[in-house]
Amino acid sequence: IAMNQIRVSEKMFVLLPSSIVGITVNILLNILLIPKYGPIGAAIATSLAALCGNSIMLYYGFRVCPLPVSKRKLAGIFLITIAFTLPVYPIMVLDINLFVKLILKTTIIIVYVGSGIFLNYISIKDIKQVVSSVMEIVSYRILYHKLSFILKK
């Protein structure tokens, strides 16, 4: 949302503070987390840095181009997203079957979407629209690869 607000208002200079904060947080957390947690520490550092930078960008986006969107609803969406993202990192390092990891992650996604529907953050109509768009993109790519293969002959 914020990036579009900033573009529309033509005040790109407000991107600088969020970029500086994001880079600084990323560097500091990488220094703290990578020695102890390795690649997982780097992933966590990057995620938290992106969250900090994007939060600042959202703040400036609403200042330069206010939208009739409930800040409480946005905060709820952010909190739910964080709550469902955090369990994924430990699952990545578990020494379990890949199929079990896939089932766990799929379950997290289903519960995440269900929570969004239950809290009225997303609707069934939105989900159908996203699925339709994804299926359209996938079908175009499959068609493109088939045509490319035929034309190469």
Side-chain angles (χ1 to χ4, degrees), residues 26-82:
N26 197 5
I27 290 169
L28 292 174
L29 289 177
N30 277 328
I31 291 169
L32 294 171
L33 297 176
I34 289 176
K36 187 169 183 176
Y37 300 106
I40 298 300
I44 292 169
T46 302
S47 297
L48 291 174
L51 178 66
C52 291
N54 287 335
S55 297
I56 291 171
M57 190 184 315
L58 185 65
Y59 168 76
Y60 281 114
F62 273 102
R63 284 195 63 193
V64 298
C65 184
L67 292 177
V69 177
S70 165
K71 291 180 178 103
R72 185 181 182 128
K73 185 174 182 177
L74 280 176
I77 292 170
F78 276 134
L79 290 174
I80 287 176
T81 302
I82 290 168

Side-chain angles (χ1 to χ4, degrees), residues 89-97 101 104:
Y89 293 113
I91 291 171
M92 289 170 46
V93 296
L94 286 176
D95 190 24
I96 57 175
N97 186 316
K101 285 184 182 184
L104 288 171

